[in-house]
Amino acid sequence: MQRDEDLATIAAFYRRVQWTALLLGIGWLVWLLAPILTPFALAALLGWLGDPMVDRLERRMSRNWAVTLVFSSIVLLMLLVLVLLLPVLEAQVMTLVDSLPGYRDWLVQTALPWLERRTGLQILAWFDPQRLFELIRTHWQSAGGIAAVVLGYVSRSGIALLAWLANLALLPVLTFFFLRDWDLIVERIATLVPRNHYDTVRALAQQTDEVLGGFLRGQMLVMLILGVLYALGLWLVGLDLGILIGLVAGLLTFVPYLGPASIVIFGGLAALVQFGDWQHLLGVGIVFTVGQLVESFLLTPVLVGDRIGLHPMAVIFAVMAGGTLFGFLGMLLALPVAAVVNVVLRHLGERYRHSRLYAGDTPAILLDIEQMPPASDEQAG
């Protein structure tokens, strides 16, 4: 009997080792294929977000027509956004390029002298053209190596740009196929789940789908509304780059505190360079305050809530870790993977609290301290 239990324990241990090796192998493969997996991951995300709408339309028409209708709506919406935003963004980028000399002059003539007066450091000396020329002449040989590195980077950047354009062209095709075949993909994955774990995996998948779907749809609406609100507010303040700063801050809202910080830093810097007075700086502060109030008391409670159940520090860590390990693909999948891990950890926590390891083999003995007799002097000693 004991021998059978030992063999069962060893077999269970080897199964865990096999699953661990399989997960590590999948992670290593994803790391290797990260550059080409990005359009597939983004298309899968769009297909997953659009599948509930396709399923609802499928009750009234065939799935092919439902997919065509949803896909056409997504494409038309994206084209409308591009048509409306591209001219504005082009004008903002040109304004930014034209404003760069002004930012340089403000840095050299205003910001750095003020910082020198407060700290006593000689910072402007490092920006002296003669000093920079001497540094270049002294390190001329290494400058040739730097030039070669820069040239190689530019060449790689051109190749990366072509790859990015190819991925962009591939995205709508992949999105259409994911929308059309999403239910089939889910069914085939379900057939691979071990039968003795099927109910558990199915419950976890449904919980993850509910939690993550609501969070992502709500977060996208929050990003869109805040981007428009910030852009309109900074434009009314009078900042030349207000629309660009507001839209960027809205896109960065998915990382806690990063969106508001970008409004304060970039908006405040733009106000100081363009106007140099406290009135416009106060205007940026008002836009920031209004945006935070709208997000905290209206948008997040109504559209997002606490569906994902992750602490802001966990969200920041997930995004940074995903970006470090897998680049843009990792940042794209950081929150979905973190949500799945969070659901699995909660399930494991519940199982642990109902396990013998947590409860122990014998019930705990509760002692009523107040009813215990006081210790004598000899016992105390």
Side-chain angles (χ1 to χ4, degrees), residues 216-238:
L216 288 180
R217 294 183 185 96
Q219 189 62 47
M220 288 181 179
L221 287 175
V222 171
M223 291 165 57
L224 176 63
I225 295 172
L226 282 181
V228 174
L229 180 63
Y230 285 144
L232 181 61
L234 295 179
W235 177 74
L236 291 176
V237 170

Side-chain angles (χ1 to χ4, degrees), residues 147-372:
V149 172
V150 171
L151 182 61
Y153 175 77
V154 171
S155 301
R156 291 193 301 271
S157 299
I159 297 174
L161 179 61
L162 293 177
W164 184 82
L165 293 175
N167 291 337
L168 188 62
L170 193 61
L171 180 61
V173 179
L174 295 174
T175 302
F176 178 82
F177 285 119
F178 272 111
L179 277 173
R180 190 191 68 179
D181 300 330
W182 185 259
D183 292 343
L184 180 62
I185 294 172
V186 172
E187 291 177 1
R188 290 185 176 179
I189 293 176
T191 59
L192 299 177
V193 178
R195 296 298 94 181
N196 56 336
H197 297 294
Y198 178 79
D199 293 336
T200 301
V201 173
R202 183 172 180 269
L204 292 177
Q206 289 177 344
Q207 185 179 356
T208 302
D209 180 76
E210 180 182 353
V211 169
L212 190 57
F215 172 79
L216 288 180
R217 294 183 185 96
Q219 189 62 47
M220 288 181 179
L221 287 175
V222 171
M223 291 165 57
L224 176 63
I225 295 172
L226 282 181
V228 174
L229 180 63
Y230 285 144
L232 181 61
L234 295 179
W235 177 74
L236 291 176
V237 170
L239 298 185
D240 292 337
L241 298 174
I243 296 177
L244 181 62
I245 295 174
L247 292 178
V248 170
L251 291 176
L252 295 178
T253 304
F254 77 98
V255 181
Y257 309 114
L258 187 57
S262 62
I263 282 288
V264 173
I265 296 174
F266 297 129
L269 180 61
L272 288 175
V273 173
Q274 185 175 343
F275 298 102
D277 54 25
W278 64 269
Q279 291 90 344
H280 290 85
L281 198 60
L282 178 62
V284 174
I286 293 174
V287 172
F288 163 77
T289 303
V290 171
Q292 286 302 287
L293 292 176
V294 171
E295 179 187 7
S296 301
F297 294 100
L298 181 61
L299 297 180
T300 299
V302 174
L303 298 177
V304 180
D306 193 27
R307 290 188 177 97
I308 197 170
L310 289 176
H311 192 276
M313 288 192 298
V315 175
I316 295 174
F317 174 80
V319 173
M320 294 180 64
T324 301
L325 293 175
F326 303 106
F328 180 74
L329 175 65
M331 296 180 66
L332 184 66
L333 298 179
L335 289 183
V337 172
V340 173
V341 171
N342 189 40
V343 171
V344 173
L345 288 178
R346 279 188 294 189
H347 171 72
L348 293 178
E350 292 177 0
R351 291 192 58 180
Y352 168 69
R353 284 189 293 271
H354 290 84
S355 67
R356 181 179 298 179
L357 178 63
Y358 177 78
D361 295 328
T362 57
I365 300 176
L366 301 179
L367 300 178
D368 192 346
I369 303 299
E370 295 181 357
Q371 300 298 326
M372 294 180 63

Side-chain angles (χ1 to χ4, degrees), residues 95-106:
T95 302
L96 175 62
V97 173
D98 295 337
S99 303
L100 288 179
Y103 281 87
R104 180 200 58 200
D105 296 339
W106 177 83

Side-chain angles (χ1 to χ4, degrees), residues 93-174:
V93 171
M94 294 302 298
T95 302
L96 175 62
V97 173
D98 295 337
S99 303
L100 288 179
Y103 281 87
R104 180 200 58 200
D105 296 339
W106 177 83
L107 177 66
V108 175
Q109 300 174 8
T110 304
L112 292 181
W114 179 86
L115 190 61
E116 283 187 343
R117 291 193 298 269
R118 294 297 186 276
T119 62
L121 300 175
Q122 298 298 320
I123 303 175
L124 281 173
W126 290 94
F127 291 88
D128 182 23
Q130 184 64 30
R131 180 183 180 85
L132 294 177
F133 177 77
E134 290 295 331
L135 286 175
I136 293 175
R137 188 170 61 85
T138 304
H139 301 86
W140 182 255
Q141 293 181 350
S142 61
I146 294 174
V149 172
V150 171
L151 182 61
Y153 175 77
V154 171
S155 301
R156 291 193 301 271
S157 299
I159 297 174
L161 179 61
L162 293 177
W164 184 82
L165 293 175
N167 291 337
L168 188 62
L170 193 61
L171 180 61
V173 179
L174 295 174

